[in-house]
Amino acid sequence: MVLSVLNYQVAERLVAAKNETAMLTTFNEVDMTAIYDLRTEYKDDFKEKHGLGLGFMSFFTKAVTRALQLFPDVNSMIDGQEKISYDFCDISVAVSG
């Protein structure tokens, strides 16, 4: 199989990232009863209005943005000797097609 230059570079960078970064998996247990109940209550209306299912990622993303607002140091970065804080939350979510 012949890889294009772009595919080769992407593959190289993925391997480098795997080899150069710490891999960590954390499992936390939470009581999702309230989220399950809310989802069950609104999933049919949501599907009718938006044409797609109401999953759990929306709830997760809302929780993450709320946590970043409550703990702004987590939503910051260090640039030299300066701490740069943001007044927005930029959340990216990887999805498969």
Side-chain angles (χ1 to χ4, degrees):
M1 175 158 97
V2 178
L3 291 176
S4 70
V5 173
L6 180 60
N7 286 342
Y8 183 76
Q9 287 176 338
V10 168
E12 264 188 339
R13 290 187 180 149
L14 286 171
V15 170
K18 181 182 78 65
N19 292 334
E20 296 169 6
T21 58
M23 296 293 169
L24 173 67
T25 301
T26 302
F27 295 93
N28 294 303
E29 293 187 24
V30 296
D31 181 358
M32 295 280 291
T33 304
I35 300 299
Y36 275 103
D37 293 345
L38 194 63
R39 182 175 174 263
T40 300
E41 182 179 348
Y42 290 104
K43 71 178 180 179
D44 293 334
D45 292 338
F46 190 90
K47 176 100 175 178
E48 185 179 318
K49 182 175 181 178
H50 300 287
L52 52 110
L54 177 60
F56 293 100
M57 188 55 69
S58 301
F59 296 103
F60 172 76
T61 305
K62 179 61 179 175
V64 169
T65 56
R66 182 69 179 124
L68 290 173
Q69 291 166 345
L70 291 171
F71 303 97
D73 282 347
V74 178
N75 195 31
S76 302
M77 66 177 250
I78 303 293
D79 184 12
Q81 298 295 316
E82 302 291 321
K83 180 178 89 170
I84 300 172
S85 297
Y86 302 98
D87 61 351
F88 61 90
C89 298
D90 186 6
I91 307 296
S92 299
V93 177
V95 296
S96 62

